[in-house]
Amino acid sequence: MDNRSRKAAFAGSFYPRDPDDLESAIRNYLEKAEPETPGGVIRAIVSPHAGYVYSGQTAAYGYKSISGNSYESVIVISPSHRESFDYSSIYDGDAYLTPLGEVPVDRELS
């Protein structure tokens, strides 16, 4: 199978394209986040996904609450902003390309 990777379509518009700028923004949001310590094991978080200037700080609370934990797989469920359909869609590629590197898709799970 050919390596098929989805490019970061919105890098530079909704979040920084430059890896150093992106890493700095994420680090800044996480440093400011002070989530309450939840009881038990966190199995899911609900995170906003608007442009970082709009929702980055809010998203950081959820991600910081799971920092230090280990997960075998992460499942991202999100709406389509371009198409309307009455079913779920699963990306059939091999990876997502981000300014911070490639994120592989668990092909067996998907």
Side-chain angles (χ1 to χ4, degrees):
M1 175 167 60
D2 294 332
N3 183 0
R4 295 173 294 135
S5 298
R6 184 169 190 254
K7 294 180 180 160
F10 298 103
S13 57
F14 292 111
Y15 53 91
R17 178 185 312 275
D18 178 78
D20 292 333
D21 291 344
L22 178 56
E23 189 171 339
S24 177
I26 292 169
R27 187 179 312 110
N28 184 46
Y29 291 132
L30 289 170
E31 286 172 357
K32 290 179 182 176
E34 296 180 11
E36 293 183 22
T37 304
V41 177
I42 300 174
R43 299 202 186 278
I45 62 172
V46 176
S47 180
H49 70 282
Y52 281 25
V53 298
Y54 304 109
S55 67
Q57 190 60 65
T58 301
Y61 276 80
Y63 291 110
K64 191 164 184 178
S65 71
I66 61 170
S67 67
N69 294 342
S70 179
Y71 297 93
E72 186 175 321
S73 295
V74 174
I75 299 170
V76 177
I77 301 172
S78 65
S80 172
H81 294 286
R82 296 175 184 233
E83 302 290 332
S84 177
F85 44 83
D86 294 329
Y87 54 88
S88 296
S89 172
I90 298 175
Y91 175 60
D92 67 350
D94 299 308
Y96 289 90
L97 301 178
T98 79
L100 298 178
E102 186 175 278
V103 178
V105 171
D106 182 335
R107 300 287 296 146
E108 184 177 335
L109 179 62
S110 70

